[in-house]
Amino acid sequence: MKLLEQIAVATNLREGAEGIRDILASVAQNQKLSLKNLANTVYMPLPVVAAVRRELERRNILVRDKGICLTQEGLKLVSDLGIQSSLVSEDHLISIFKDIKYKMPEVNVTLDQAFASPETSFRRVTYANQYDAISGRNVILIGDDDLTSIAIGLNSKKKGKPKRLVVLDIDPRVIDLITSTSAEFSLDIECYLHDLKCPLPPNLKYNFSTVFTDPPYTLSGLELFLARASEALEEGSGKQGYLSFGNKDPDTDHEVFKIISQYGFVPKEIIENFNTYDGGTIIGNISRMIRIVSGTQRAILPSYFNRPIYTGDNNISQRSYVCSLCGEKYIVGKNCSHIHIEALKQAGCSECGNTIFNLVAKIQEGKNDR
Amino acid sequence: MKLLEQIAVATNLREGAEGIRDILASVAQNQKLSLKNLANTVYMPLPVVAAVRRELERRNILVRDKGICLTQEGLKLVSDLGIQSSLVSEDHLISIFKDIKYKMPEVNVTLDQAFASPETSFRRVTYANQYDAISGRNVILIGDDDLTSIAIGLNSKKKGKPKRLVVLDIDPRVIDLITSTSAEFSLDIECYLHDLKCPLPPNLKYNFSTVFTDPPYTLSGLELFLARASEALEEGSGKQGYLSFGNKDPDTDHEVFKIISQYGFVPKEIIENFNTYDGGTIIGNISRMIRIVSGTQRAILPSYFNRPIYTGDNNISQRSYVCSLCGEKYIVGKNCSHIHIEALKQAGCSECGNTIFNLVAKIQEGKNDR
């Protein structure tokens, strides 16, 4: 929207066009705000917001009437931008979502999959809506085994639809489920089966204003996913990211925030215990939400990324199991016939077909299993 | 405490001795936790916490009894460490605090002073107590015009005292008030009148496990205060910082988090609107709380710091006022006879003694007034 950029330039706003949109969204969502409350809501200094208000009044978008209000023209602008003026309750949608989620196959732990609870997926949508990150926006999900795209689609069926809703995932089972659900519920989700180690498809580059991602638990995984997030976002500052990532020890976390900074992002809010997972014991079934925004500077990743990104890739531990019925022994782990216990369970015991196994011993433990 | 370090080494814990203390504090504050809940409370992976539990059981500090419990020996250890086993309500203390605060002189805006509300000071204490950051700890306040040290002292009078409670401030009025209040209420606060541009006194270096700071609003101010915070903290990871700092535009905030990282800190939680101020219109009367922890790597600041750190130092704006009674004109600002309007009010009109002045014009506006 050229107009927002013009106003950002006219007022010399460091937050850019996104800052103007923030101000408009806040006015749309709060009736007759005072200038001070508006400034507090958008976290900008009062004189700066006053200058933007003046400019918006001059262009007949805002008017003063016992507080700051949108004119008819302003209401049309807000509507054209897709800004949602009030939030939709998602409670009645969670049961539909649970039915869809029920069709999801077992987690593939080699991909660091751990399915977020349905409440978590909707919590993400509600949280992002608070920051005007979905309605009327181009939204992309960098990996989506949590089916957050479906939660977004269901939540915005009646109003506040994203302009474009895109999912990338490496797991064909995830892409299949989202594709069929999107068709069934007319959610308009574009799905791409894609390995993020390869560059983004050209039609997805520099095109989004909001990104969701819940990367693998490793630093290299975080780096790859954030690099692709940065690549997907439009240029300019204030584009939003919703990054779910577990707590780490201080030195590892130091690296986490260096990576966030390196790819041009700034953490704006960190909320502990935001995400809960059905699986995911590696990260203790919970992780934090780090809301990030882009700055104007971005780093670029070399096109192809060849480092290992999943926890298991760095983990050389193997485990020995016995079948609980016939006592047949199995070694599970990297370079074994079964990569993890889920794979062994799925295959069943080759002697008796039983699917219950008891852990006997860890054979070797890698240093990087955190 | 050597024991904590020994256990951290024995269990190869990346969080170090502070991580062991975290685990003990969590057990002390929560009855009969399960291993999984303990792991979630301290944000560490379950197998890691299991290894620490084993070591603490071997040393007869923990025992299992329908959950994880402290032994008699464990209770003594926790008490020796000064870990507080339950939190004290602070409501009845706020009125005492308000009386003390009432004696505080006017803000000196050239020092970027803006007094936090009494509720804010106590909110900081309650928040830090949740993370076991005060009781039995060496606590330092890098600047304290908010009188948070007094809130800490009042809150911990009966139980959960810090081992050492130290305040540094450049404003003699702040130091005088804290010193006299400490004497009156036996709060044991050590006060130092100190310009942070000079190195810390040697007896304060590398001696604290918790730091509170609410720096000037500039990047150089943040850098100086965080550098001194880092210098004050004990070596090793997991030492805690409670940093109050206002929101900035994305590019400036990018620098904020680079500085946090550069001085060896990691943001663990960012809470918007945590601090409210009586003055402080520059930052819109509110700021966020950034809870940070140290990593093992720290940067060191060159001993003397000569860059300007206060907002006004970079702001070359001047304002012209007229006396509301006699109409005498005054220019206020840097290099004028009165540096800011508060100074002019304090002096009064040189013609008629009146203390009310009307703003006529801004003469020149600097670029850095944010």
Side-chain angles (χ1 to χ4, degrees), chain B residues 176-188:
Chain B
D176 286 351
L177 180 56
I178 297 177
T179 304
S180 63
T181 305
S182 174
E184 185 181 346
F185 291 88
S186 306
L187 304 181
D188 293 333

Side-chain angles (χ1 to χ4, degrees), chain A residues 138-167:
Chain A
N138 286 359
V139 176
I140 189 167
L141 294 101
I142 306 285
D144 192 26
D145 58 320
D146 297 330
L147 312 182
T148 302
S149 59
I150 295 177
I152 293 172
L154 288 174
N155 192 71
S156 56
K157 260 199 87 173
K158 290 188 183 155
K159 60 188 287 193
K161 270 174 81 79
K163 197 154 72 179
R164 191 176 177 194
L165 180 55
V166 173
V167 169

Side-chain angles (χ1 to χ4, degrees), chain A residues 27-261:
Chain A
V27 174
Q29 283 163 10
N30 302 280
Q31 298 288 320
K32 305 197 176 195
L33 273 175
S34 71
L35 184 66
K36 189 184 152 202
N37 286 341
L38 175 59
N40 283 352
T41 315
V42 298
Y43 304 113
M44 293 177 203
L46 198 128
V48 171
V49 177
V52 173
R53 180 185 59 177
R54 266 196 306 278
E55 195 63 29
L56 290 167
E57 284 174 350
R58 222 168 55 78
R59 289 163 189 259
N60 198 28
I61 291 164
L62 293 185
V63 68
R64 276 179 246 192
D65 173 20
K66 296 178 190 156
I68 302 169
C69 300
L70 290 161
T71 59
Q72 280 305 318
E73 207 166 318
L75 285 167
K76 184 175 176 310
L77 172 65
V78 161
S79 162
D80 289 349
L81 289 167
I83 290 171
Q84 208 177 351
S85 52
S86 67
L87 310 178
V88 186
S89 153
E90 80 279 8
D91 283 358
H92 64 289
L93 300 169
I94 292 189
S95 65
I96 303 173
F97 186 80
K98 281 183 179 167
D99 289 343
I100 297 163
K101 192 139 193 165
Y102 191 71
K103 299 180 201 157
M104 190 72 187
E106 284 286 288
V107 291
N108 178 349
V109 294
T110 62
L111 298 178
D112 282 1
Q113 283 181 346
F115 300 147
S117 66
E119 290 74 14
T120 294
S121 299
F122 279 93
R123 195 177 302 126
R124 290 174 182 168
V125 180
T126 306
Y127 180 56
N129 264 327
Q130 283 171 22
Y131 291 92
D132 175 37
I134 294 178
S135 180
R137 302 283 202 171
N138 286 359
V139 176
I140 189 167
L141 294 101
I142 306 285
D144 192 26
D145 58 320
D146 297 330
L147 312 182
T148 302
S149 59
I150 295 177
I152 293 172
L154 288 174
N155 192 71
S156 56
K157 260 199 87 173
K158 290 188 183 155
K159 60 188 287 193
K161 270 174 81 79
K163 197 154 72 179
R164 191 176 177 194
L165 180 55
V166 173
V167 169
L168 294 176
D169 207 284
I170 195 171
D171 186 341
R173 307 171 310 161
V174 170
I175 292 297
D176 287 351
L177 181 55
I178 297 177
T179 304
S180 62
T181 306
S182 174
E184 186 181 347
F185 291 88
S186 308
L187 303 181
D188 293 334
I189 306 175
E190 280 176 59
C191 291
Y192 294 81
L193 180 65
H194 184 81
D195 181 349
L196 291 169
K197 288 184 173 177
C198 307
L200 292 183
N203 70 329
L204 301 184
K205 280 192 181 176
Y206 314 119
N207 196 256
F208 297 86
S209 60
T210 301
V211 58
F212 288 81
T213 190
D214 190 341
Y217 316 140
T218 61
L219 290 176
S220 53
L222 175 71
E223 180 175 358
L224 175 62
F225 279 49
L226 278 187
R228 296 301 177 219
S230 173
E231 206 174 303
L233 288 180
E234 292 166 353
E235 286 177 6
S237 69
K239 310 304 163 190
Q240 299 190 45
Y242 292 82
L243 167 64
S244 300
F245 203 69
N247 257 281
K248 302 282 179 187
D249 63 278
D251 282 341
T252 308
D253 237 9
H254 204 206
E255 298 303 317
V256 166
F257 284 91
K258 274 191 193 163
I259 291 169
I260 289 173
S261 177

Side-chain angles (χ1 to χ4, degrees), chain B residues 234-261:
Chain B
E234 292 166 355
E235 287 176 3
S237 70
K239 309 303 162 188
Q240 300 189 47
Y242 293 83
L243 168 64
S244 300
F245 203 69
N247 257 280
K248 303 281 178 189
D249 63 276
D251 283 342
T252 309
D253 237 10
H254 205 205
E255 298 303 318
V256 165
F257 284 91
K258 273 191 193 164
I259 291 169
I260 290 173
S261 177

Side-chain angles (χ1 to χ4, degrees), chain A residues 326-363:
Chain A
C326 72
E328 180 71 12
K329 289 181 188 159
Y330 294 90
I331 307 289
V332 162
K334 206 166 183 190
N335 304 322
C336 304
S337 52
H338 303 285
I339 186 125
H340 48 73
I341 180 64
E342 283 77 10
L344 175 58
K345 280 182 186 171
Q346 205 162 7
C349 174
S350 59
E351 293 301 307
C352 70
N354 173 38
T355 57
I356 302 174
F357 300 88
N358 297 321
L359 179 65
V360 179
K362 266 191 177 178
I363 294 165

